[in-house]
Amino acid sequence: MADEQALLRQAHRMDANALAQIHDLYYPQIFRYIIFRVGDRQVAEDLTSDVFLRFLDALQGRSSPLKSLRGWLYGVAGHIVSDYHRGRYRSKQVDLDDDLTNDQAGLEEQLDANLQREQLQAAVASLTEEQQSVIALRFGQGLPIKEVASIIDKSEGAVKQLQVRALGALARRLSLQGGDQ
C-alpha cells in the first residue's frame, strides 16, 4: 500500500489534505466495524470520532502507526469498543427506543426484535477481543480472511481458527438463551 504510506508520511507533517483524505477513506470502514460491535448509531459515531482523535494525538505524540494505518485504526477502534463495553458493564443501562408504538402487535414485535438484538450483542460481547474483531471484520465489513489477517496481524490459519471458535461460541450461547425462554 504505497498510497497509504505516502498519506501517512504527509499526516506526520500534519498536512490538512492528507488528514482529510485519511478521514474520508477510513471513517466509513471504522464506523461500520464499530456499529457492528455496539449496535447503536450515535454511540458508533462518537466512538469512531474518538478513533480519529486518538490518531491525531498519536501523530503529535510520536506514537502513530509506522506500517499499516488501516490496521492501527482498527486496533484502536477495537480498544475503544472494549473500553465502551467495560464501562457499560460497570454501569448497567437500559435503552429505551424512541420509536415504540402504541399498537400492541407492533409493540410485541419491536420488543421481540430488541430482545433478539440484545441477546446477539451480549453473545458477541462474551467473545474474546480477537474473536470479536474477526467476527466484526469478516461479517460486519465483509472482508476476506487474508485482509483480516493483515489487519489484526495474524496468520490466515489463525484467523480461520478464531472465526470457527467464535461462531461455535455464539451458536452455543444463543442456543442456551433460546432454551431459557
Side-chain angles (χ1 to χ4, degrees):
M1 286 221 161
D3 292 335
E4 183 180 273
Q5 291 300 314
L7 271 177
L8 193 52
R9 282 192 299 277
Q10 291 172 325
H12 278 283
R13 295 189 299 264
M14 300 307 282
D15 179 281
N17 287 333
L19 293 171
Q21 284 180 4
I22 289 169
H23 183 270
D24 293 346
L25 181 63
Y26 292 107
Y27 186 93
Q29 297 172 32
I30 300 299
F31 175 78
R32 284 191 307 269
Y33 171 77
I34 291 175
I35 198 165
F36 184 84
R37 297 206 36 210
V38 299
D40 181 304
R41 184 172 191 78
Q42 287 180 322
V43 170
E45 288 171 354
D46 292 344
L47 297 179
T48 305
S49 293
D50 286 348
V51 170
F52 287 93
L53 288 173
R54 287 192 190 181
F55 174 63
L56 288 175
D57 287 344
L59 286 173
Q60 294 169 346
R62 307 239 187 266
S63 62
S64 65
L66 299 174
K67 293 180 187 176
S68 170
L69 173 58
R70 185 177 188 197
W72 189 90
L73 291 171
Y74 275 111
V76 169
H79 291 299
I80 287 174
V81 168
S82 292
D83 292 345
Y84 167 76
H85 284 303
R86 235 186 324 276
R88 277 187 58 130
Y89 178 75
R90 289 187 182 126
S91 62
K92 259 314 198 200
Q93 298 174 352
V94 176
D95 293 331
L96 297 176
D97 280 343
D98 293 334
D99 57 351
L100 288 178
T101 63
N102 288 334
D103 178 23
Q104 188 65 28
L107 179 60
E108 287 176 10
E109 288 173 10
Q110 280 186 309
L111 289 173
D112 190 42
N114 287 344
L115 179 62
Q116 288 177 357
R117 185 179 67 242
E118 288 172 7
Q119 288 174 337
L120 179 59
Q121 287 175 339
V124 170
S126 72
L127 299 174
T128 68
E129 182 66 31
E130 286 180 330
Q131 289 173 335
Q132 288 180 36
S133 290
V134 167
I135 293 297
L137 292 169
R138 288 282 292 134
F139 301 106
Q141 296 286 327
L143 298 178
I145 287 177
K146 185 174 185 174
E147 206 166 333
V148 173
S150 173
I151 289 170
I152 66 170
D153 198 27
K154 299 269 185 204
S155 70
E156 291 180 39
V159 170
K160 289 176 184 176
Q161 200 58 256
L162 284 166
Q163 179 179 317
V164 166
R165 289 183 179 146
L167 292 175
L170 286 174
R172 283 188 301 278
R173 172 96 188 237
L174 292 172
S175 70
L176 288 174
Q177 288 175 349
D180 291 344
Q181 294 177 0

